[in-house]
Amino acid sequence: MIHNAPHINTDRQRILHSVLDTPASEFESWPEDVRELAIELATEFFILHSNPFVHPEVVKNSVFSRLEAARETIPLPLYQRLMEKMEHFWYNYRQLLSLKETIQERMVEFLPEDSLVDSPHALVQFSTDATGLMLELPLLVVFPETTKQVQDIVHLAREIGFFIIPRGGGSGLTGGAIPALRNSVILSLSRFKHIIDVDTEHRLLKAQTGVITQEAIDAATDKNLLLTIDPASKWASSLGGNISENAGGPFAFEYGTTLDNIVDYTMVRPQGDVIRVRRRNHPGHKIYPEETVVFEVLDEQNELLETISLQGEEIRAPGLGKDVTNKFLGGLPGVQKEGVDGIITEATFLLHPRLNHSRTLCLEFFGQSMHNAALVIKDLVRLRNSIREGSDGVTMSSLEEFGAKYVRAIEYQKKSQHYEGDPISVLLVQLDSDSKRLLEDTLWTIVGMADLYNDVDVFVAETPEEAAAFWEDRHKLSAISRRTSGFKINEDVVLPLDKIPEFSDFLETTNRRCLSQAYLEALERIELQLPAERPDDFVTMEKAVCRSILDGESAYADLSEQSLALQIHYFFRDLQNRYPGLQETLQSIEDDLFFYRIEVANHMHAGDGNCHVNIPVHSNSPSMLSKAEDTVDTVFRRVLELKGEVSGEHGIGITKIRYLSREKIAALKTYKQRIDPDNILNPHKLQSNEPLIAPFTLSWERLIKDVLNSELPNKDKLARQLKHIQICTRCGKCKQVCPMYYPEKGFLHHPRNKNISLGAMLSALTYTQNTALLTDPYVLSKLQELMEYCTACGKCLSICPVKIDSADVTLSFRSYLDKEGVAGHPIKSKMLNYFGNDPDMIPKAVKAMALGQGLHNMVAGALLPLHLFSIHPVVSFPEQGI
């Protein structure tokens, strides 16, 4: 591993470009030892753009000391060239800090000081989203509370030259709300938390756009109405983010996505002007393909600026139940634009009547193929269409499916007593009606339909509590990435419903091929352990089987992935019996096979044909990541061949931009150039098929290994806690129960954010220990600060899909800090433990308790030895763009 490297996964070219900014031809012309030195120095300097907890002077001193030590071993012209590059990088870094200070000085003219946050916690937490991907750290995070303040921020950005990244709940799954440039400011809408009105007469909900989706749903429920915008992220996502992404969810099957339910919204555009967009004559239902939808764009004086008409098939491509790939969308502001054209601050949504009776069915499918499940889905959609056409008073509100890999991941408890083994597919159906008789008739129609197929068992929830238990399994699906430290490639494709059976067969074939490829590679490793003069005929035969599967030979078309996995297991047992001296080696090879194999998991908003294809990946394995990306390419090609699209609700962001058609990119780019010619808002998003720079992620496995190899005190305890939190999926569901999530007062300390900070802090602690041979008191003070923002109440454990015990993590870190002599104030700690039993008292109390923390941190930071900050002379360069 590169000496003093950051604990991140990214490609070498990204680091070289970010730090050296040297043409590839020049770099390749250097001698190998100089190239290696340049890579090591650039990689260490890159820490400044990936970890805000590391003191910049420590990194600078280490880089220049190492370069100086190599002076006599490399040619003088190359030493001078490297010195020039390192000094230039440092100069630009200092310029960034100067820009940040200027922004802060100007912003306090119209924002309260506590609305400007540049703490390392905030910078690292707001640099990523649910993907775990990062591009750059922001300069700072700002928290306006009014539309006028948002306007002032936009005007200032245009005046002094920085970029704005609008951000809602941070629950995005494509990297759409993370900064792509260094001189970026995150504009968080998390303090726009007011639900302005719930109008029961006209069935409308008006709210600021920082309101968490579930809170808006609850507000409607309190009035016996239904807000049908219900993405899986509803406990973490915001209303504004839903508009920006055009989010869907299970109810979209019947009621449509966010766009279908918008009545009006207010938006600040890149020029700083405010517009209001309203839908003309909303009919109260989902947009149908044959319909024309009209929106009016009004200025601040309520004068009409333009009228935008959209055909139903412009919104969703023909035959698709969802589709968010048409980013231009006729120039409709804000909607589906992922924050590139404006900042939405208020919105009004349509509410629907809450029907009096509801029933939930669970269908479990067994066997080797989910083909029957796909056929039942088609039957249910036909039934839904006939119900809608007949207007018989029954609504099929949701139709959700998850497959065998999710069954294993969430430890699903099957309901069937008739079939052996786990179900290969689970289907959930929700029916609603004001007529109990019609509801029961429809329910038993579905039971009768399912009975026409083999290997299916049907269960009907008898109580609301049992129905909630059925749906709880659906809410746990993010646990699929537990085995890969919470990291996965998450793609939501959408297909015509009549192609779902074919796509399901394709995914089964893909999984069989991926397992065969992993098995073949394992067999080749086994051959290297065996005597070359005596090849094992059985190994040779197994390799032939793998190649036949990979070549698509029909003889193995009926071999299921499960059967192949069982065959692999027994073959390894046979090998261990025949080669007892290689038992440990063979076990290691088998473990690696299943640990690093590619698995494609799929769950569906089945009624819309919206398939969520997830590939858990160990991001610290370049080989596995490359294979996963190749598999994604294969999946997307097949989706497009089947007349589908690459996203039904997650959006495009940085993860899918390569697959968006050039025509769709060109249409949005033309619109963006007209609306935002200076590229102020969310720059370098949705503008080109090639991302500006490669993202990076935290490498938990490498960090844990380095902690264990370090001289940090109590390193075993630190490593254990890292292992507990590394499986966090960053879903943000903990927001809804955490007493330390109170954004109106600046508290965003829910476990998801803490876990992101903890990874960065432990990485910084390890780096400083290895570099300066001390346990950094500044990082310890920040760790202590973070641990005080937890009551250890344990409420988050019940909602966490991967069951991280954050209370135990907090108590363990507090114990570690006690031993390091960095314990918090005893009275403060006792109060936090007390408030764990009464979390409603937390926001005001913690606000008061935190007042003295700033002085403590300043003192702790000042304790770093002075020799770490010896200043290397910096060459002055002409001022230039950063």
Side-chain angles (χ1 to χ4, degrees):
M1 189 181 76
I2 295 175
H3 177 67
N4 289 350
H7 299 101
I8 61 171
N9 302 302
T10 192
D11 62 66
R12 189 175 76 171
Q13 290 304 315
R14 162 70 199 276
I15 291 176
L16 292 177
H17 174 75
S18 295
V19 178
L20 290 182
D21 194 21
T22 300
S25 57
E26 178 188 351
F27 178 78
E28 294 300 329
S29 71
W30 297 348
E32 183 178 355
D33 60 334
V34 177
R35 292 201 304 271
E36 288 303 313
L37 176 63
I39 291 168
E40 290 185 9
L41 297 177
T43 301
E44 186 168 6
F45 244 158
F46 191 75
I47 291 173
L48 297 182
H49 288 314
S50 61
N51 194 328
F53 290 97
V54 178
H55 200 293
E57 293 285 351
V58 176
V59 181
K60 169 179 171 286
N61 190 58
S62 175
V63 168
F64 283 111
S65 295
R66 293 174 63 198
L67 179 55
E68 188 64 29
R71 182 170 190 165
E72 302 300 323
T73 64
I74 63 177
L76 181 60
L78 292 179
Y79 165 81
Q80 292 172 332
R81 182 65 168 154
L82 282 179
M83 181 63 75
E84 175 190 353
K85 289 296 181 181
M86 296 299 115
E87 288 175 333
H88 195 253
F89 175 84
W90 180 250
Y91 172 81
N92 280 342
Y93 178 77
R94 299 298 301 179
Q95 290 292 98
L96 276 175
L97 297 184
S98 177
L99 175 63
K100 180 178 77 170
E101 291 174 1
T102 301
I103 294 170
Q104 290 172 310
E105 290 169 0
R106 294 292 305 278
M107 280 193 179
V108 293
E109 297 172 6
F110 55 83
L111 285 175
E113 284 192 23
D114 68 356
S115 296
L116 310 177
V117 180
D118 65 350
S119 74
H121 293 300
L123 298 185
V124 72
Q125 291 163 8
F126 281 83
S127 69
T128 188
D129 59 6
T131 64
L133 299 174
M134 292 174 272
L135 293 170
E136 297 285 0
L137 293 172
L139 288 176
L140 73 157
V141 184
V142 296
F143 297 89
E145 299 182 36
T146 68
T147 299
K148 176 62 167 60
Q149 289 175 347
V150 173
Q151 285 183 277
D152 291 339
I153 294 169
V154 172
H155 287 309
L156 184 62
R158 292 177 54 77
E159 178 188 341
I160 65 177
F162 62 88
F163 302 107
I164 297 172
I165 315 300
R167 183 162 168 121
S171 60
L173 290 165
T174 63
I178 65 177
L181 296 174
R182 292 170 188 164
N183 47 337
S184 296
V185 171
I186 298 287
L187 191 155
S188 172
L189 291 157
S190 59
R191 296 189 188 179
F192 278 68
K193 291 281 290 178
H194 184 48
I195 296 176
I196 299 167
D197 183 41
V198 180
D199 181 344
T200 56
E201 180 182 354
H202 301 97
R203 295 204 295 266
L204 301 173
L205 181 144
K206 183 174 183 178
Q208 291 183 308
T209 51
V211 171
I212 298 300
T213 308
Q214 185 62 51
E215 293 175 358
I217 292 171
D218 292 342
T221 301
D222 289 344
K223 302 292 186 179
N224 200 33
L225 293 168
L226 187 66
L227 177 65
T228 58
I229 301 165
D230 67 331
S233 61
K234 59 189 175 184
W235 294 280
S237 64
S238 69
L239 295 179
N242 293 336
I243 297 173
S244 182
E245 298 286 349
N246 190 14
F251 278 137
F253 175 48
E254 175 63 24
Y255 298 101
T257 60
T258 304
L259 172 58
D260 300 76
N261 292 280
I262 292 173
V263 175
D264 65 47
Y265 54 97
T266 300
M267 187 175 96
V268 179
R269 295 201 289 190
Q271 304 298 320
D273 58 317
V274 175
I275 59 171
R276 179 169 169 250
V277 182
R278 68 186 180 195
R279 182 169 169 185
R280 184 187 294 171
N281 300 325
H282 199 304
H285 61 69
K286 180 178 182 176
I287 299 167
Y288 298 134
E290 66 277 6
E291 288 187 318
T292 299
V293 184
V294 179
F295 288 90
E296 298 172 338
V297 181
L298 310 168
D299 65 14
E300 292 182 77
Q301 287 71 46
N302 219 33
E303 296 293 329
L304 184 65
L305 296 176
E306 64 176 320
T307 300
I308 297 168
S309 297
L310 293 169
Q311 300 300 312
E313 292 191 347
E314 288 181 81
I315 296 169
R316 291 179 274 268
L320 300 183
K322 290 179 184 169
D323 179 10
V324 297
T325 61
N326 179 3
K327 292 298 169 184
F328 173 54
L329 210 60
L332 181 64
V335 179
Q336 215 160 274
K337 301 293 189 297
E338 302 188 19
V340 305
D341 72 331
I343 302 153
I344 302 167
T345 59
E346 288 184 5
T348 304
F349 300 93
L350 181 71
L351 301 177
H352 297 271
R354 181 172 289 278
L355 304 181
N356 291 324
H357 306 288
S358 180
R359 299 301 297 270
T360 295
L361 298 89
C362 175
L363 288 73
E364 294 180 341
F365 296 84
F366 295 84
Q368 299 296 316
S369 170
M370 68 160 289
H371 193 79
N372 279 352
L375 294 175
V376 170
I377 289 169
K378 288 180 63 177
D379 291 344
L380 288 171
V381 173
R382 280 195 290 267
L383 175 63
R384 188 282 306 268
N385 292 342
S386 67
I387 289 173
R388 182 183 283 167
E389 292 166 4
S391 300
D392 73 349
V394 177
T395 296
M396 190 181 296
S397 304
S398 302
L399 180 58
E400 300 287 301
E401 186 273 343
F402 56 90
K405 296 187 186 302
Y406 285 100
V407 166
R408 293 196 298 272
I410 68 173
E411 299 177 350
Y412 177 80
Q413 300 298 308
K414 74 171 184 176
K415 301 167 180 60
S416 176
Q417 301 296 316
H418 297 116
Y419 298 99
E420 295 294 327
D422 289 330
I424 195 168
S425 175
V426 177
L427 191 63
L428 295 172
V429 187
Q430 180 174 325
L431 302 172
D432 299 297
S433 179
D434 281 331
S435 167
K436 185 175 286 189
R437 181 185 62 78
L438 291 175
L439 187 64
E440 293 297 315
D441 288 348
T442 305
L443 186 152
W444 291 109
T445 297
I446 293 174
V447 172
M449 289 169 53
D451 283 344
L452 298 176
Y453 295 89
N454 296 324
D455 302 326
V456 59
D457 219 344
V458 184
F459 303 89
V460 180
E462 297 299 331
T463 65
E465 292 75 21
E466 190 176 5
F470 284 12
W471 283 106
E472 179 60 25
D473 289 321
R474 170 64 181 79
H475 299 323
K476 296 177 182 176
L477 298 188
S478 59
I480 190 69
S481 56
R482 178 198 294 267
R483 78 177 180 96
T484 56
S485 302
F487 188 77
K488 61 184 176 181
I489 295 177
N490 186 344
E491 309 294 0
D492 76 312
V493 300
V494 61
L495 294 127
L497 283 169
D498 62 354
K499 300 296 184 182
I500 292 296
E502 188 175 349
F503 185 66
S504 299
D505 293 344
F506 161 76
L507 290 182
E508 290 177 8
T509 300
T510 299
N511 273 313
R512 185 170 64 245
R513 288 175 56 83
C514 289
L515 180 56
S516 298
Q517 182 62 47
Y519 188 25
L520 178 61
E521 292 171 4
L523 292 168
E524 289 171 348
R525 286 180 62 189
I526 291 169
E527 285 184 323
L528 296 176
Q529 304 297 320
L530 303 178
E533 65 277 8
R534 288 188 290 114
D536 188 301
D537 290 341
F538 293 105
V539 171
T540 302
M541 290 169 59
E542 290 295 291
K543 287 175 64 178
V545 170
C546 290
R547 291 195 178 100
S548 296
I549 293 172
L550 292 172
D551 290 341
E553 292 185 11
S554 58
Y556 297 97
D558 294 330
L559 178 65
S560 70
E561 178 198 358
Q562 296 93 323
S563 297
L564 178 58
L566 194 62
Q567 178 178 323
I568 292 169
H569 170 78
Y570 285 122
F571 186 69
F572 269 92
R573 301 292 77 74
D574 174 66
L575 285 172
Q576 288 179 320
N577 288 332
R578 290 192 288 118
Y579 300 100
L582 294 176
Q583 283 194 0
E584 289 187 10
T585 300
L586 290 168
Q587 188 61 56
S588 176
I589 292 173
E590 183 183 10
D591 290 344
D592 284 351
L593 188 166
F594 287 101
F595 191 72
Y596 289 109
R597 63 166 292 199
I598 297 298
E599 289 189 277
V600 183
N602 183 45
H603 69 88
M604 290 188 278
H605 299 305
D608 300 312
N610 185 201
C611 301
H612 291 246
V613 179
N614 288 281
I615 305 177
V617 180
H618 294 285
S619 61
N620 63 314
S621 170
S623 173
M624 188 179 189
L625 195 55
S626 176
K627 290 174 184 174
E629 289 170 348
D630 288 344
T631 303
V632 169
D633 285 337
T634 301
V635 169
F636 279 147
R637 284 197 302 271
R638 188 63 182 139
V639 167
L640 295 174
E641 288 170 0
L642 294 172
K643 307 302 181 186
E645 277 294 356
V646 297
S647 183
E649 60 182 8
H650 289 175
I652 300 299
I654 64 173
T655 62
K656 299 183 186 178
I657 192 65
R658 286 185 296 153
Y659 308 101
L660 195 62
S661 73
R662 295 185 183 277
E663 294 76 15
K664 289 178 178 178
I665 289 177
L668 180 68
K669 190 171 184 177
T670 300
Y671 166 78
K672 169 82 167 174
Q673 289 170 343
R674 174 171 60 87
I675 295 295
D676 185 13
D678 298 318
N679 209 16
I680 293 292
L681 293 180
N682 213 2
H684 296 292
K685 303 286 179 62
L686 307 181
Q687 303 297 294
S688 169
N689 283 113
E690 293 302 321
L692 177 69
I693 52 176
F696 59 91
T697 63
L698 178 67
S699 175
W700 291 93
E701 294 297 329
R702 193 184 311 159
L703 172 56
I704 292 168
K705 180 179 178 181
D706 278 6
V707 167
L708 290 172
N709 290 334
S710 74
E711 297 300 321
L712 285 168
N714 295 304
K715 59 186 180 184
D716 290 340
K717 176 175 281 191
L718 294 177
R720 278 197 303 274
Q721 297 313 313
L722 285 173
K723 288 178 181 177
H724 288 163
I725 66 174
Q726 69 171 331
I727 61 174
C728 175
T729 63
R730 298 164 300 278
C731 66
K733 290 180 179 178
C734 44
K735 284 183 185 181
Q736 63 180 308
V737 295
C738 181
M740 289 297 180
Y741 179 70
Y742 190 47
E744 298 95 321
K745 297 299 181 182
F747 295 115
L748 303 171
H749 307 293
H750 51 86
R752 191 279 292 267
N753 278 359
K754 289 177 187 172
N755 293 339
I756 294 170
S757 279
L758 283 169
M761 279 191 287
L762 269 293
S763 178
L765 207 61
T766 305
Y767 169 81
T768 307
Q769 177 68 45
N770 292 341
T771 304
L773 304 180
L774 87 159
T775 305
D776 189 340
Y778 171 76
V779 177
L780 289 178
S781 74
K782 286 297 176 184
L783 178 58
Q784 181 261 335
E785 175 185 301
L786 191 68
M787 291 305 104
E788 288 190 344
Y789 286 112
C790 180
T791 67
C793 64
K795 292 181 169 70
C796 50
L797 180 61
S798 63
I799 205 68
C800 178
V802 292
K803 299 306 175 191
I804 297 173
D805 190 343
S806 293
D808 182 71
V809 170
T810 293
L811 295 174
S812 181
F813 273 114
R814 284 181 184 168
S815 172
Y816 169 81
L817 290 166
D818 282 342
K819 291 179 180 178
E820 291 302 300
V822 196
H825 193 285
I827 296 178
K828 185 173 180 179
S829 297
K830 287 180 181 179
M831 290 179 72
L832 283 169
N833 291 333
Y834 170 77
F835 285 126
N837 298 317
D838 188 7
D840 291 337
M841 291 291 293
I842 287 293
K844 292 180 181 179
V846 176
K847 178 85 170 179
M849 289 189 286
L851 290 177
Q853 189 63 46
L855 179 61
H856 172 80
N857 290 342
M858 289 173 58
V859 173
L863 294 177
L864 278 170
L866 292 177
H867 77 270
L868 293 178
F869 308 118
S870 56
I871 302 299
H872 178 87
V874 177
V875 177
S876 295
F877 288 85
E879 187 166 340
Q880 55 184 298
I882 299 171

